[in-house]
Amino acid sequence: MKDYLAKIIFLIHSVIVIFWIGLFFVPTRLWADKITFHFYLTLLIVANQFLWGLLIMPWTKKYRMICFLTTVNQLLRGKSISDEENYKHSFTKEFLGNFGITISHRFATIFTFTISTIITIQYFFFR
C-alpha cells in the first residue's frame, strides 16, 4: 500500500512540476494573467522548499531546500526524515532518471533557481 501511495505522490509531484514548467509554453494572448499566476506559483513552490527545509532541520541537523512532497514520498518509501536519502533526494533528478537522463543534485537546484529567476524577470519586466 505504501508503495502505491508513493507512486501517487510521485505522480502528483510530476504533474505539478510539468505544469510549472509548461506554463512557459502558454502564450499570454491565451491567458493574459499567466505571468502573474506563474510568478505566484513559483513563490509558493520555492517558499515551500525553504520553509520545509527549516522545519525539518531538528531531524536533519542541516539546512537543505526540500519539497514537502519529496519528504512524504521518501517516508512512504521507508526513509526517515533524518535519513540522507530524504533530505538529499531530488525529485528532478529522480524524474529525469526515469527517462535515462542523469543529473547532479546541484544541477537540479540550479535548474530550480534558474526557472525561478526567469519567471521573476518576466513578472517584473514583461507583464
Side-chain angles (χ1 to χ4, degrees):
M1 183 65 169
K2 285 184 178 183
D3 187 47
Y4 181 71
L5 289 173
K7 288 179 182 180
I8 290 172
I9 296 294
F10 187 82
L11 179 62
I12 291 168
H13 209 166
S14 299
V15 168
I16 291 168
V17 171
I18 290 168
F19 176 73
W20 181 56
I21 294 170
L23 282 173
F24 279 116
F25 303 101
V26 176
T28 51
R29 63 179 159 73
L30 294 179
W31 185 5
D33 291 331
K34 179 204 68 160
I35 292 174
T36 301
F37 177 82
H38 205 185
F39 176 73
Y40 284 107
L41 177 62
T42 300
L43 281 180
L44 180 69
I45 289 169
V46 174
N48 155 52
Q49 294 179 24
F50 274 111
L51 292 173
W52 189 244
L54 284 172
L55 288 172
I56 65 172
M57 272 181 67
W59 291 273
T60 62
K61 306 295 185 231
K62 58 182 75 178
Y63 178 77
R64 301 273 184 175
M65 283 179 56
I66 185 165
C67 179
F68 172 77
L69 290 175
T70 296
T71 299
V72 171
N73 205 15
Q74 292 298 84
L75 288 171
L76 289 168
R77 291 173 175 170
K79 311 291 183 193
S80 71
I81 290 178
S82 60
D83 189 329
E84 281 190 353
E85 288 291 318
N86 178 20
Y87 63 84
K88 283 189 174 180
H89 181 77
S90 166
F91 166 80
T92 305
K93 184 176 176 177
E94 179 182 356
F95 180 82
L96 292 175
N98 289 333
F99 298 98
I101 301 168
T102 305
I103 63 167
S104 68
H105 188 71
R106 177 175 297 237
F107 178 84
T109 301
I110 290 168
F111 178 75
T112 300
F113 278 119
T114 301
I115 297 293
S116 301
T117 301
I118 292 168
I119 294 165
T120 301
I121 290 168
Q122 284 182 334
Y123 179 76
F124 286 109
F125 298 105
F126 298 105
R127 67 180 170 113

